[in-house]
Amino acid sequence: MAEVNILVSEKQFSCPVCLEILKDPVAIPCGHSYCMGCIKNCWDQTDHTGVYSCPQCRKTFTPRPVLRRNTILAEIAGEFKKRRLNPPPAQSYAGPGDVPCDFCTGRKFKAVKSCLTCLASYCEAHVKPHYEGAAFKRHKLVNAIENLEQKLCAEHQKVFEVFCRTDQTCICWLCADKEHKSHDTVSAEAERSVKQKQLGETQTEIQQRIQERLKETEHLKQAVESLKRSAHREIKKSKKIFTELIRSIEKIHTEVIELIGANEKAAVNQAEGRMKKLEQEIAELRRRNAELKQLSETEDHIHFLQNFQSLCAPPEAGDLPSVTVNTDISFGAVRKAVSELKDHIEDFCKGELVKITTTVNETAVYTLGSRSSDRRFKVNEVAVYSLQAPEPRNRAEFLKYSCQLTLDPNTAHRNLCLSEGNRKVKRRRETQRYPHHQERFDYYLQVLCRERLSGTRCYWEIEWSGGGANIGVTYKGISRKGGDHSCALGFNDKSWSLFCSDSRYTTLNNNNQTAINAPRSPRIGVYLDFNAGTLSFYGVSDTMTLLHRFQTTFTEPLYPGFYIYCGSSVTICQLN
């Protein structure tokens, strides 16, 4: 039997008893088929009754039917067994990115080969004639490729077989005889061999570069491990030094407390001794005063005269000096001295911290320089990567640096209306009744925030709507009066900004403008790393899309600011 129809199910040729493909198949009088061995075993068990039945339909037979092998069923079953041992190549339907078979009708199978002669692609089934038919022996089969029409000359409908070195393009033989007749042309195969050699050289170069990069990676790994060990060691030493410093300060604190306590105790003891002597003198004077009173009241003139001399003698001055009591006792001078010490230490620590920070930041992990050996890829600038906290990688990490901003009414142009606790600004035709202020913009419709940003990392988000908005930061010294560029965000050396509109983004600094192609985002995230000198703008949605990053050196505190275009508004988002 040459071939079994692939639509026939294997289940139709399975034995109902053993459920396997029929082995020595036989058909009994009711029409059902079984393995000869299976039906014989069934009937052998009922030999004693003399009645034999079909296991499926239960039809009975008397006497026992004679079993004969069904040769047609045996051939079909044999084919199924062969398919189990040697299954045909699996065909799958063409999906996205696959090349579909050009000859399949309905849902197309995935093509496995393309014919450059027929300019068609074939699945496993439809490609067979190319292997078996003599007419297709000269056809060139390749692995399935898309866009076969690109292999065909649009003018002559001939296959590209020639390469024009003059025009660096593939052409057919007719093109070579006509339009490119005077050009330098070779066969596609010859040009391929030349290009193949160049490709090999490029591959060799890439492999060398891979080895170089692997070596650099290994060196970097070693440097990072060394850096980690060094950093850990320095942290332990610095911790020890700061612990000793804290102990020294605590010791000074203890000595000052003890000094104040000792001074207090000595002064109290001295005052208490003085008070005891004063109390003794007061008691003696009270005794003599009582004796004098008693003498003055006696009626015995002789007794009065005899004791007058001794009792009326003036009292001795005593050895106690006069005392001037300080009624405003205070250790305020001590507190002032301690406070001055605190300020001095804090100022000193701040200055030293700047030096330490500079020293730490100048510790380079590695330096990027130009690669003179690279023929195509060269780095002309040198960059030093310092030991600083890594850049945030997602919105959750950016939010760690979120700051609260509010708009400053004293800077707002009179056609800008502030609302929502000075977090929203909208452009209006009506003039707002703002009082005169020297910091107010009188020409450009701009407003700045109250908060000054410096020496730290800050992140904030704004939502904008309408025709457009200019979002940026500026030094406080930006001009406020008049319409020249010294007043406009991004048009001078004091400010950096991102202009947003429905159709484009544009970065601005010192009147230098750069267009950015990116999807419109109604929410913009702004990240400032003052010490690193970076100002980054992000489109905020489910992900953070970097729109632009300014790299500079900030020399003064920065103030966020906005320019509001016609029919537009900007809202500072609350991030906590």
Side-chain angles (χ1 to χ4, degrees):
M1 191 171 183
E3 186 176 354
V4 177
N5 191 323
I6 60 173
L7 298 178
V8 177
S9 170
E10 182 180 297
K11 187 177 180 182
Q12 294 173 270
F13 298 91
S14 298
C15 175
V17 177
C18 67
L19 303 179
E20 294 292 333
I21 295 176
L22 291 167
K23 183 177 181 183
D24 291 331
V26 295
I28 62 177
C30 66
H32 292 116
S33 300
Y34 299 91
C35 297
M36 182 177 287
C38 292
I39 195 63
K40 283 180 68 175
N41 289 337
C42 288
W43 287 350
D44 286 346
Q45 296 173 18
T46 59
D47 258 343
H48 64 283
T49 65
V51 179
Y52 307 93
S53 63
C54 174
Q56 282 188 279
C57 65
R58 300 299 178 185
K59 187 173 182 179
T60 59
F61 313 104
T62 305
R64 178 169 175 166
V66 177
L67 300 175
R68 291 184 177 85
R69 186 171 183 268
N70 189 320
T71 57
I72 295 177
L73 287 179
E75 286 186 15
I76 295 174
E79 286 296 324
F80 276 117
K81 288 180 181 178
K82 287 180 183 179
R83 284 176 177 270
R84 279 192 174 184
L85 295 174
N86 301 297
Q91 288 205 116
S92 58
Y93 289 108
D98 293 330
V99 179
C101 174
D102 291 322
F103 286 83
C104 286
T105 58
R107 188 175 180 187
K108 294 180 178 292
F109 281 113
K110 177 181 176 182
V112 294
K113 293 291 182 179
S114 295
C115 177
L116 297 182
T117 306
C118 302
L119 290 176
S121 298
Y122 303 92
C123 65
E124 195 72 45
H126 288 116
V127 78
K128 284 184 178 180
H130 275 74
Y131 294 127
E132 300 169 356
F136 299 101
K137 292 292 185 182
R138 297 176 180 269
H139 288 205
K140 187 173 182 180
L141 290 177
V142 295
N143 290 332
I145 55 176
E146 289 184 292
N147 303 322
L148 280 170
E149 63 276 2
Q150 293 182 3
K151 308 289 188 288
L152 200 67
C153 175
E155 184 177 353
H156 303 111
Q157 297 301 303
K158 298 292 183 181
V159 177
F160 289 137
E161 297 181 14
V162 180
F163 185 79
C164 177
R165 290 175 173 173
T166 305
D167 293 338
Q168 289 294 301
T169 185
C170 294
I171 59 176
C172 70
W173 283 110
L174 291 177
C175 292
D177 288 337
K178 295 181 180 180
E179 294 89 346
H180 298 262
K181 188 172 184 179
S182 60
H183 292 182
D184 181 10
T185 58
V186 294
S187 68
E189 185 177 358
E191 185 65 18
R192 164 68 184 270
S193 64
V194 174
K195 291 288 194 291
Q196 188 75 35
K197 184 179 179 181
Q198 294 178 1
L199 182 64
E201 293 173 354
T202 303
Q203 283 181 302
T204 302
E205 182 182 346
I206 289 175
Q207 289 168 358
Q208 291 176 350
R209 191 169 301 168
I210 289 172
Q211 294 303 316
E212 291 173 3
R213 300 303 186 265
L214 287 173
K215 191 179 295 184
E216 287 180 6
T217 302
E218 186 60 33
H219 290 163
L220 276 173
K221 286 181 181 178
Q222 295 174 3
V224 167
E225 290 303 318
S226 175
L227 172 69
K228 288 180 178 178
R229 291 193 297 269
S230 177
H232 183 69
R233 183 170 58 250
E234 294 306 318
I235 287 172
K236 287 182 66 176
K237 290 182 179 179
S238 298
K239 188 175 181 180
K240 182 180 179 181
I241 293 171
F242 276 104
T243 301
E244 293 173 354
L245 176 61
I246 292 170
R247 285 176 182 168
S248 298
I249 294 174
E250 288 176 344
K251 183 179 179 182
I252 295 173
H253 174 225
T254 301
E255 289 177 354
V256 171
I257 298 300
E258 290 176 351
L259 179 63
I260 294 174
N263 185 277
E264 173 198 12
K265 186 176 181 181
V268 169
N269 288 340
Q270 185 180 12
E272 287 178 346
R274 177 72 182 182
M275 286 188 292
K276 187 175 182 180
K277 290 182 179 180
L278 289 173
E279 289 170 354
Q280 291 173 351
E281 186 175 342
I282 290 170
E284 178 63 24
L285 291 173
R286 284 176 175 171
R287 184 188 63 76
R288 288 194 61 189
N289 184 56
E291 290 178 352
L292 289 173
K293 181 179 179 184
Q294 184 180 4
L295 181 62
S296 67
E297 294 176 351
T298 185
E299 295 180 356
D300 187 345
H301 303 305
I302 299 302
H303 176 75
F304 178 86
L305 293 173
Q306 288 176 342
N307 291 284
F308 173 80
Q309 190 68 31
S310 60
L311 292 176
C312 285
E316 295 180 3
D319 58 353
L320 292 176
S322 61
V323 176
T324 301
V325 178
N326 182 8
T327 58
D328 187 22
I329 299 175
S330 171
F331 284 96
V334 177
R335 184 172 64 250
K336 182 180 179 183
V338 172
S339 180
E340 289 176 352
L341 174 62
K342 167 183 161 293
D343 293 341
H344 177 71
I345 291 175
E346 286 181 347
D347 291 342
F348 177 78
C349 287
K350 286 179 182 177
E352 292 303 308
L353 181 60
V354 172
K355 294 179 183 178
I356 292 171
T357 302
T358 302
T359 303
V360 170
N361 287 343
E362 287 177 352
T363 304
V365 179
Y366 61 89
T367 302
L368 291 179
S370 62
R371 299 182 185 272
S372 57
S373 61
D374 287 354
R375 292 189 296 109
R376 288 173 296 172
F377 303 99
K378 292 187 178 180
V379 181
N380 295 320
E381 67 279 358
V382 175
V384 177
Y385 289 74
S386 301
L387 289 173
Q388 297 178 349
E391 286 280 310
R393 293 166 294 180
N394 52 53
R395 188 165 181 265
E397 293 184 4
F398 277 104
L399 291 177
K400 294 177 183 179
Y401 301 101
S402 62
C403 59
Q404 299 301 317
L405 301 177
T406 53
L407 301 169
D408 185 357
N410 291 332
T411 64
H413 187 278
R414 284 190 167 85
N415 286 106
L416 296 181
C417 177
L418 307 188
S419 60
E420 297 184 12
N422 289 341
R423 288 187 302 105
K424 181 175 182 178
V425 54
K426 189 170 185 179
R427 183 165 173 169
R428 298 282 193 187
R429 290 184 179 179
E430 305 84 10
T431 301
Q432 308 299 306
R433 296 182 178 179
Y434 294 131
H436 172 75
H437 201 283
Q438 61 181 6
E439 295 187 356
R440 188 176 311 287
F441 291 98
D442 65 357
Y443 182 85
Y444 288 102
L445 282 86
Q446 297 179 158
V447 60
L448 304 184
C449 289
R450 294 180 184 272
E451 292 73 18
R452 50 180 274 168
L453 309 176
S454 65
T456 184
R457 295 182 173 194
C458 301
Y459 177 75
W460 63 97
E461 291 179 358
I462 67 97
E463 288 185 346
W464 67 277
S465 62
N470 203 11
I471 304 160
V473 297
T474 179
Y475 294 147
K476 190 173 184 178
I478 189 173
S479 299
R480 315 299 173 97
K481 311 302 179 185
D484 58 44
H485 285 175
S486 64
C487 302
L489 282 174
F491 287 88
N492 47 68
D493 60 359
K494 293 182 173 61
S495 58
W496 298 258
S497 69
L498 174 74
F499 168 69
C500 308
S501 71
D502 286 334
S503 59
R504 62 191 173 95
Y505 293 106
T506 305
T507 61
L508 300 160
N509 171 244
N510 204 17
N511 204 22
N512 293 319
Q513 304 182 29
T514 303
I516 301 171
N517 291 321
R520 180 186 185 277
S521 176
R523 180 174 281 225
I524 301 295
V526 187
Y527 175 66
L528 170 67
D529 188 338
F530 188 93
N531 291 333
T534 60
L535 175 69
S536 306
F537 295 91
Y538 291 85
V540 181
S541 56
D542 294 334
T543 58
M544 302 280 290
T545 302
L546 178 63
L547 301 175
H548 185 75
R549 177 181 289 120
F550 288 106
Q551 182 70 57
T552 185
T553 300
F554 298 118
T555 58
E556 302 176 31
L558 295 165
Y559 292 81
F562 311 96
Y563 182 100
I564 313 300
Y565 285 77
C566 185
S568 302
S569 66
V570 164
T571 302
I572 302 172
C573 303
Q574 288 185 313
L575 300 180
N576 54 2

